[in-house]
């Protein structure tokens, strides 16, 4: 085979994959804001979940995108595992639309419509208001140009195969036996895994079968292999996610493997029914003018029939699939203090700005909860008398401070990646607010660590103990501060429309007034020799740090509510 023909085949495949990616991304941008609400409004009804997965996948033309969205929603705690399994099942039905789009390319000369699509697309791209629609037209034009070139080049290669090398290679697999079928099943899986696009392998399969080089029996085994291979992407991405997300990805693999297993057992009657439905005769000669169209249609029909049948069969066994994946994927036993990994943001699961913002919001909520736990440790440290327990607790606070620094940096990096996308003004405002939130949360972490260091300094220097009134005042101040943190976390968990922001402002005023009262009292107590000046300094350092922490909490609340930054 001429080297230029090889490059032409590879180039047309690349065009097809690029077109598929561009078209899918454009559809996701158009549907982005709605996708989050559609998936977020899921109920425990598995049939609703299946329909949601089906329509979302049909809308964005990518089962991988839907599956990754679903895994990311599970990772963020927005979907349960049962809901995710039903959505993934629906995605298997929705993805069959892609095969039918490709079969159109074999029904008529689709490249005739490509160049007008390019022309209209470039006009829409320069009309910024309709840029996404232009991207979609470019994507679908590239897809069909790649498919048309692949089909034409494949036909030329077969026609010019004077020595019959290609035909002879595939002819040796024409004997229908279990080993040949399993070989093509494995080939379909490996090729899809390598290319990371079931659509590309489906196009190759249709091209080979439509030219008569590959027997239709082997073609359907490649299609089944593609169904397994396409599940690998979500499993690779979910490796860095939490346990529930890894279970959702494994369920995706399990569903397709179970489907392939039962369809192989019933392959003859099942495939016969599909051929009868389409009107395809397996003995039809490849020289028949209608053969390319019929071959591509039967592959698309088989792909649809398999996924629809598998979903309708396994939808009744969702609870058992959940039990199986929970048994297979055990939770990781990771010490929280040693776990510097973000829980909800994982590399690779970033498909649309809307979904990315959701991921980051969930991560910030976890950040805020972690910060309040850190403050709880500081309160505990103040009352710890045992030296060993004190040292252990102080070490934990140090680790938490390091984690808070890392979380701020990693979330900021992620938001910076999101901000490189085409964003609406609303999403840009959200990202600005979130960047301010993580900065203020990290400052709260610094305040907690400063307080812990102050207490540690007092213990190490063997300073006199605080007086009973000092302890009582510190506990009162810390209780007020903890209440401010609780209010902040209730805002982060709930909806800002139902949050009473005045409650946070009132607590901050209480903290400020109490600080002023204690400051005046401290001067009098030192003058009256109630305690030493050094003890009074440490005491006021802790009180002042609580007051600073309260200011940072209000800053987080303001950023979340979208109100004006408080004047210093």
């Amino acid at each position: 085979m001429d080297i230029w023909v090889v490059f032409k085949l590879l180039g047309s495949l690349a065009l097809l994959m690029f077109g598929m990616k561009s078209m899918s991304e454009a559809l996701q941008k158009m549907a982005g804001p709605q996708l989050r609400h559609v998936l977020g409004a899921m109920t425990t009804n598995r049939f609703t979940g299946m329909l949601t997965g089906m329509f979302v996948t049909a809308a964005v033309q990518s089962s991988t995108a839907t599956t990754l969205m679903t895994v990311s929603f599970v990772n963020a705690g927005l979907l349960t595992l049962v809901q995710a399994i039903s959505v993934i099942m629906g995605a298997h039905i929705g993805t069959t639309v892609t095969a039918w789009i490709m079969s159109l390319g074999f029904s008529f000369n689709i490249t005739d419509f490509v160049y007008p699509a390019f022309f209209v697309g470039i006009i829409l791209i320069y009309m910024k208001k309709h840029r996404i629609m232009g991207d979609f037209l470019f994507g679908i034009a590239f897809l069909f140009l790649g498919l048309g070139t692949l089909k034409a080049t494949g036909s030329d290669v077969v026609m010019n195969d004077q020595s019959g090398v290609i035909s002879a290679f595939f002819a040796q697999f024409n004997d229908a036996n279990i080993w040949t079928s399993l070989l093509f099943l494995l080939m379909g899986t490996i090729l899809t895994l390598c290319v990371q696009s079931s659509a590309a392998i489906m196009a190759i399969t249709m091209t080979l079968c439509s030219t008569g080089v590959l027997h239709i029996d082997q073609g359907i085994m490649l299609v089944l292999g593609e169904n397994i291979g396409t599940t690998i992407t979500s499993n690779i991405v979910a490796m860095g996610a939490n346990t529930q997300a890894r279970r959702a990805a494994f369920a995706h693999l399990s569903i397709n493997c179970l489907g392939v297993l039962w369809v192989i057992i019933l392959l003859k009657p099942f495939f016969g029914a599909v051929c009868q439905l389409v009107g395809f005769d397996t003995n039809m000669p490849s020289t028949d003018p209608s053969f390319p169209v019929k071959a591509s249609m039967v592959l698309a029909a088989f792909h649809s029939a398999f996924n629809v049948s598998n979903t309708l069969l396994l939808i009744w066994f969702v609870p058992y699939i959940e039990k199986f994946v929970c048994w297979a994927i055990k939770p990781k036993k990771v010490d929280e203090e040693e776990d510097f990994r973000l829980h909800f943001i994982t590399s690779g699961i970033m498909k649309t700005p809307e979904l990315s913002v959701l991921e980051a919001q969930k991560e910030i909520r976890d950040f805020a909860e972690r910060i309040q736990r850190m403050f709880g440790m500081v309160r505990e440290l103040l009352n710890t008398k045992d030296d060993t327990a004190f040292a252990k607790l102080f070490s934990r606070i140090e680790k938490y401070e390091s984690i808070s620094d890392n979380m701020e940096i990693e979330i900021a990096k992620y938001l910076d990646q999101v901000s490189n996308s085409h964003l609406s003004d609303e999403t840009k405002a959200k990202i600005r607010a979130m960047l301010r939130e993580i900065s203020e949360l990290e400052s709260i972490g610094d305040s907690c660590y400063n307080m812990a260091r102050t207490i540690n300094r007092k213990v190490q220097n063997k300073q006199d103990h605080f007086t009973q009134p000092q302890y009582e005042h510190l506990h009162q101040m810390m209780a007020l501060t903890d209440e401010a943190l609780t209010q902040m976390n209730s805002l982060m968990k709930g909806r800002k429309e139902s949050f009473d922001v005045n409650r946070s402002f009132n607590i901050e005023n209480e903290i400020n007034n109490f600080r002023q009262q204690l400051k005046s009292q401290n001067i009098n107590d030192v003058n009256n020799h109630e305690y030493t000046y050094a003890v009074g300094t440490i005491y006021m350092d802790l009180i002042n740090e609580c007051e600073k922490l309260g200011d940072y909490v209000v800053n987080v609340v303001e950023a979340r509510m979208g109100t004006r930054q408080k004047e210093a």
Side-chain angles (χ1 to χ4, degrees), residues 95-314:
T95 194
T96 60
V97 175
T98 309
W100 285 105
I101 290 172
M102 289 188 174
S103 71
L104 283 175
F106 292 85
S107 302
F108 54 91
N109 189 6
I110 200 75
T111 52
D112 291 344
F113 299 90
V114 164
Y115 300 103
F118 277 133
F119 178 70
V120 175
I122 198 68
I123 293 172
L124 292 174
I125 286 172
Y126 279 103
M127 294 167 59
K128 290 185 179 178
K129 190 177 177 182
H130 303 290
R131 180 172 181 171
I132 297 173
M133 181 57 74
D135 289 340
F136 168 74
L137 277 177
F138 254 69
I140 203 163
F142 274 125
L143 166 66
F144 283 129
L145 181 61
L147 188 62
T149 311
L150 186 68
K151 182 182 75 171
T153 309
S155 300
D156 289 345
V157 168
V158 173
M159 288 175 65
N160 296 328
D161 183 28
Q162 304 292 343
S163 57
V165 175
I166 298 171
S167 301
F169 173 77
F170 285 105
Q172 63 184 318
F173 300 111
N174 281 347
D175 291 334
N177 61 65
I178 188 66
W179 300 114
T180 304
S181 298
L182 290 176
L183 174 65
F184 277 87
L185 178 73
L186 184 64
M187 280 172 61
T189 304
I190 293 171
L191 284 170
T192 307
L193 174 60
C194 293
V195 177
Q196 288 289 294
S197 171
S198 58
I201 306 305
M202 175 63 85
I204 293 170
T205 306
M206 283 184 172
T207 302
L208 289 171
C209 289
S210 65
T211 55
V213 168
L214 181 66
H215 196 274
I216 202 74
D217 288 345
Q218 272 64 61
I220 62 169
M221 294 311 294
L222 281 175
V223 170
L224 290 176
E226 290 155 19
N227 276 276
I228 297 175
T230 194
T231 64
I232 306 296
T233 306
S234 58
N235 278 271
I236 291 170
V237 169
M239 285 171 70
N242 63 22
T243 304
Q244 288 296 84
R246 286 185 291 119
R247 285 170 176 169
F250 186 64
H252 187 205
L253 175 64
S254 304
I255 289 162
N256 278 12
C257 287
L258 282 169
V260 168
L261 188 63
W262 73 255
V263 90
I264 285 176
I265 295 168
L266 301 172
L267 191 58
K268 271 197 172 181
F270 188 82
F271 183 53
V274 172
C275 289
Q276 193 172 1
L277 186 70
V278 176
F280 178 77
D281 183 2
T282 50
N283 297 317
M284 181 187 291
S286 59
T287 52
D288 191 306
S290 63
F291 182 81
V293 177
K294 290 285 186 183
S296 63
M297 277 184 68
V298 81
L299 287 172
F302 179 82
H303 187 231
S304 296
F306 165 70
N307 282 292
V308 171
S309 303
N310 192 42
T311 298
L312 294 179
L313 176 66
L314 295 182

Side-chain angles (χ1 to χ4, degrees), residues 539-551:
Y539 168 67
M540 283 312 299
D541 281 348
L542 292 173
I543 296 295
N544 288 329
E545 206 62 61
C546 280
E547 193 275 330
K548 272 191 206 173
L549 199 154
D551 288 342

Side-chain angles (χ1 to χ4, degrees), residues 329-434:
I329 307 287
K330 301 288 191 243
K332 290 179 181 177
K333 293 181 180 178
V334 183
D335 181 15
E336 186 185 29
E337 271 69 40
E338 302 300 328
D339 184 14
F340 292 94
R341 175 182 66 81
L342 296 179
H343 291 142
F344 305 104
I345 293 173
T346 51
S347 58
I349 313 182
M350 191 168 72
K351 286 289 166 184
T352 63
E354 284 287 330
L355 289 170
S356 305
V357 167
L358 260 181
E359 294 292 320
Q361 279 178 343
K362 187 77 175 180
E363 199 65 68
I364 292 170
R365 193 177 99 177
D366 184 65
F367 190 3
E369 288 173 352
R370 193 185 286 260
I371 287 295
Q372 187 167 12
R373 287 200 299 273
M374 185 181 180
F375 183 71
M377 290 177 202
V378 175
R379 295 179 74 184
E380 190 183 337
L381 191 73
L382 184 65
N383 299 318
T384 305
K385 306 299 180 188
D386 181 73
D387 290 347
T388 306
F390 185 94
K392 187 177 179 182
L393 189 54
F394 182 71
S395 177
R396 284 185 72 194
I397 293 169
E398 280 188 312
K399 286 177 181 175
Y400 261 70
E401 203 278 330
S402 176
I403 289 171
S404 75
D405 288 345
N406 285 326
M407 288 187 80
E408 182 197 16
I409 291 165
E410 292 303 315
I411 297 170
K413 275 185 191 173
Y414 186 80
L415 290 172
D416 184 53
Q417 282 181 303
V418 178
S419 64
N420 290 330
S421 310
H422 299 297
L423 304 172
S424 65
D425 291 338
E426 184 188 355
T427 307
K428 284 177 184 174
K430 276 184 190 175
I431 290 173
R432 283 195 299 271
M434 288 159 79

